[in-house]
């Protein structure tokens, strides 16, 4: 089929949903409930036919679909989710693959997962095959290269003055965050999953990974309030909003098993966002920070250790470890100094453990 204009939300420097637009996508195949593009298959997990012709690739978002909109709008909303997800996934993957001159393993994205009877799911996650899952068990085998699963939406939000079902596949930030986990798994491999059996991977994510995924979502959106559409009721300063324009520092870092890695990760994401927003002070465009981050992730992934002992795994959780890798691959002294300055203002230093950074920051506070 080749290059085809498909419907997707285009976010122009604001939070989702952005404006409805047409995005060119290299379509390899259209199946009744899936589209195949290079390195990516996006399928509706419920299997009902949604795509019968090219027009269905330009479906109306139908206010997110769902039981209240009626079957026609709901089918359109599901078809829209497929093209929207493919367009924003491909956007991040294109950026990563161009920067690193590599091709990531193919990614499968399933929309409308984890529905039990009338019980709908409003979330998204990145899954690797594991012997057990902490929540939402899998009924079908998970691709060893990893899969993104998105629910069909459970809660309603406001959009253009009317109710809109928050379908995760309609939200560019949610999709980009989950696809970024695929980038983390195959580029940085924070958890050294490559040393584990393919069917017994870990799905536990660290704060540095969650923060990196939020940052990549913000970089693709060009805006820090990535979850402003569906979390607009949460104050901007609340860590649960995960707005990257926050002033949180390592004094706010919790760490440990009962801390939410997303909330802790927002410290790292916000520090990177700071660096991006002020990159011009170092004479660089904002995107240069994205480039150093991606090359830093690749540097971390080149670690040829065969040891996945506690020490090796622990060091890969530290913001200071990824910062070291980024400074190593930075090609410009002014950019390096800029990154160090922005990070130290948050209490983050190359090579430091998170606990050391937190204790030092709290002593100074
Ligand atoms: Zn995540």
């Amino acid at each position: 089929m080749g290059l085809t204009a498909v419907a997707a939300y285009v976010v122009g420097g604001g939070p989702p949903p952005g404006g409805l637009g047409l995005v060119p996508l290299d379509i390899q195949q259209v199946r009744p409930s899936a589209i195949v593009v290079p390195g990516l298959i996006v399928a509706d997990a419920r299997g009902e036919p949604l795509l019968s012709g090219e027009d269905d690739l330009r479906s109306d978002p139908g206010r997110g679909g769902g039981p209240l909109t009626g079957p026609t709008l709901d089918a359109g909303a599901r078809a829209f989710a497929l093209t929207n997800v493919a367009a924003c996934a491909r956007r991040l993957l294109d950026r990563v693959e161009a920067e690193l001159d590599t091709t990531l393993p193919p990614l499968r994205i399933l929309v409308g997962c984890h529905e039990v009877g009338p019980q709908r799911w409003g979330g998204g996650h990145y899954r690797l095959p594991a012997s057990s899952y902490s929540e939402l068990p899998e009924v079908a085998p998970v691709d060893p290269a990893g899969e993104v699963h998105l629910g069909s939406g459970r809660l309603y939000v406001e959009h253009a003055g009317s109710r809109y079902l928050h379908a995760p596949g309609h939200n560019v930030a949610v999709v980009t965050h989950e696809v970024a986990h695929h980038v983390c798994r195959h580029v940085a491999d924070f958890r050294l999953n490559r040393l584990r059996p393919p069917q017994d991977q870990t799905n536990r994510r660290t704060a540095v990974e969650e923060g990196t995924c939020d940052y990549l979502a913000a970089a693709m959106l060009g805006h820090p309030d990535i979850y402003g559409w569906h979390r607009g009721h949460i104050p901007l300063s609340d860590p649960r909003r995960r707005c990257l324009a926050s002033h949180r520092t390592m004094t706010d870092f919790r760490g440990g098993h009962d801390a939410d890695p997303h909330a802790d990760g927002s410290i790292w994401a916000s520090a990177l966002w700071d660096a991006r927003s002020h990159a011009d002070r170092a004479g660089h465009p904002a995107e240069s920070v994205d480039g150093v981050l991606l090359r830093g992730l690749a540097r971390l992934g080149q670690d040829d250790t065969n040891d996945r002992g506690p020490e090796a795994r622990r060091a890969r959780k530290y913001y200071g470890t990824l910062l070291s890798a980024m400074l190593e691959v930075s090609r410009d002294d002014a950019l390096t100094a800029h990154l160090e300055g922005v990070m130290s203002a948050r209490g983050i230093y190359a090579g430091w453990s998170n606990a050391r950074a937190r204790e030092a920051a709290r002593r100074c506070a």
Side-chain angles (χ1 to χ4, degrees):
M1 198 165 177
L3 218 53
T4 309
V6 305
Y9 278 127
V10 179
V11 181
L20 191 57
L22 290 175
V23 174
L25 204 56
D26 182 9
I27 307 257
Q28 290 178 323
Q29 197 191 4
V30 179
R31 300 179 189 163
S33 59
I35 50 178
V36 184
V37 299
L40 192 65
I41 171 163
V42 184
D44 190 289
R46 294 155 288 189
E48 291 150 38
L50 300 169
L51 308 172
S52 57
E54 204 182 312
D55 280 354
D56 292 331
L57 299 175
R58 293 184 280 276
S59 291
D60 187 86
R63 296 196 307 279
L68 303 181
T69 56
T72 309
L73 277 183
D74 185 48
R78 291 187 195 192
F80 174 79
L82 298 179
T83 55
N84 187 58
V85 166
C88 55
R90 217 34 267 175
R91 185 155 181 249
L92 176 64
L93 295 172
D94 284 346
R95 176 70 183 91
V96 172
E97 293 181 347
E99 181 70 41
L100 303 178
D101 193 20
T102 186
T103 304
L104 295 185
L107 172 63
R108 180 156 64 169
I109 304 183
L110 298 173
V111 185
C113 295
H114 297 296
E115 281 194 7
V116 190
Q119 187 73 37
R120 298 166 70 93
W121 182 43
H125 59 211
Y126 178 67
R127 276 272 159 96
L128 294 159
S131 50
S132 68
Y133 301 93
S134 59
E135 50 165 8
L136 300 170
E138 299 299 342
V139 286
V142 174
D143 192 310
E147 290 179 3
V148 167
H149 297 163
L150 301 167
S152 53
R154 207 166 58 82
L155 301 176
Y156 285 83
V157 290
E158 208 257 16
H159 178 44
S162 57
R163 277 155 72 89
Y164 193 114
L165 178 67
H166 183 250
H170 287 216
N171 190 321
V172 178
V174 171
V175 177
T176 309
H177 174 101
E178 299 307 338
V179 173
H181 280 302
H182 188 64
V183 174
C184 286
R185 162 63 184 90
H186 294 287
V187 176
D189 194 15
F190 285 108
R191 304 306 308 270
L192 292 171
N193 264 318
R194 66 180 166 82
L195 299 177
R196 299 177 66 108
Q199 295 302 325
D200 188 21
Q201 304 271 291
T202 177
N203 281 294
R204 285 188 73 99
R205 310 271 143 72
T206 58
V208 68
E209 176 165 345
E210 293 300 350
T212 296
C213 293
D214 273 355
Y215 174 81
L216 290 173
M220 290 296 109
L221 262 55
H223 196 268
D225 188 21
I226 50 179
Y227 302 122
W229 187 22
H230 66 300
R231 294 188 183 166
H233 56 288
I234 299 174
L236 273 170
S237 57
D238 189 315
R240 288 170 304 158
R241 176 79 170 248
R242 282 157 64 194
C243 175
L244 279 71
S246 107
H247 298 293
R248 299 174 77 237
T249 71
M250 287 307 283
T251 55
D252 305 297
F253 185 85
R254 291 189 54 216
H257 279 299
D258 54 348
D260 176 8
H262 299 92
D264 273 347
S266 75
I267 299 166
W268 171 248
S270 302
L272 286 171
W273 185 258
D274 242 359
R276 189 182 207 273
S277 311
H278 301 117
D280 56 336
R281 291 181 191 161
H284 284 266
E287 294 75 20
S288 62
V289 176
D290 315 345
V292 177
L293 171 65
L294 293 173
R295 296 198 304 279
L297 293 174
R299 177 73 196 84
L300 211 58
Q302 281 154 10
D303 179 345
D304 54 7
T305 181
N306 281 315
D307 161 33
R308 51 172 299 276
E311 208 46 55
R313 277 180 293 144
R314 201 174 299 132
R316 301 173 80 83
K317 291 182 186 176
Y318 304 156
Y319 300 164
T321 301
L322 180 51
L323 177 58
S324 289
M326 290 170 64
L327 299 178
E328 217 178 293
V329 299
S330 167
R331 297 167 184 148
D332 180 275
D333 289 345
L335 189 59
T336 303
H338 171 64
L339 279 171
E340 284 179 311
V342 165
M343 290 289 171
S344 65
R346 302 267 177 170
I348 300 168
Y349 294 90
W352 284 27
S353 76
N354 293 338
R356 181 184 175 191
R358 179 186 59 200
E359 296 328 315
R362 287 186 180 169
R363 271 198 305 276
C364 295

